[in-house]
Amino acid sequence: MPMQLIETKVLAAAIHMRFADHDDATKAQQWIDFQLPLDQLQDPLAGEVALGEIAARQLGVIQAAALRYARGLIVEESQRLLVLAGRAP
């Protein structure tokens, strides 16, 4: 099974998401877990606008904002590692 979203927990100040290739953690061979602060997330439809009141947002918007934030971190880290390897784009 390809990796898919298995779990989302919206906590008081953070969002936790788990992607895996199996919903049983003991059987998963690939997974990604991350937790991000809600106050750092921006509306994926409005650009640089904070999400604001989380209770007023649909779960899909919160999830999309978290993925956007995580993607930015991954891109930055990938670029940093390429520079260290002498292969900057």
Side-chain angles (χ1 to χ4, degrees):
M1 163 162 96
M3 282 205 314
Q4 60 186 2
L5 180 61
I6 300 297
E7 178 180 55
T8 300
K9 293 179 188 174
V10 179
L11 309 168
I15 182 170
H16 176 265
M17 295 176 76
R18 176 178 175 79
F19 291 81
D21 63 353
H22 199 287
D23 56 355
D24 181 341
T26 63
K27 295 179 181 177
Q29 294 182 8
Q30 300 176 24
W31 63 89
I32 299 170
D33 274 290
F34 62 87
Q35 183 165 308
L36 302 168
L38 290 171
D39 65 357
Q40 296 296 308
L41 304 182
Q42 297 176 340
D43 187 327
L45 302 173
E48 302 297 318
V49 177
L51 276 181
E53 183 57 42
I54 297 301
R57 296 291 186 158
Q58 293 179 337
L59 179 59
V61 171
I62 300 168
Q63 290 169 317
L67 287 171
R68 181 178 181 215
Y69 185 90
R71 180 182 62 202
L73 294 174
I74 290 167
V75 167
E76 287 176 15
E77 181 62 7
S78 295
Q79 290 172 347
R80 185 186 75 78
L81 293 171
L82 286 172
V83 168
L84 287 176
R87 300 184 181 202

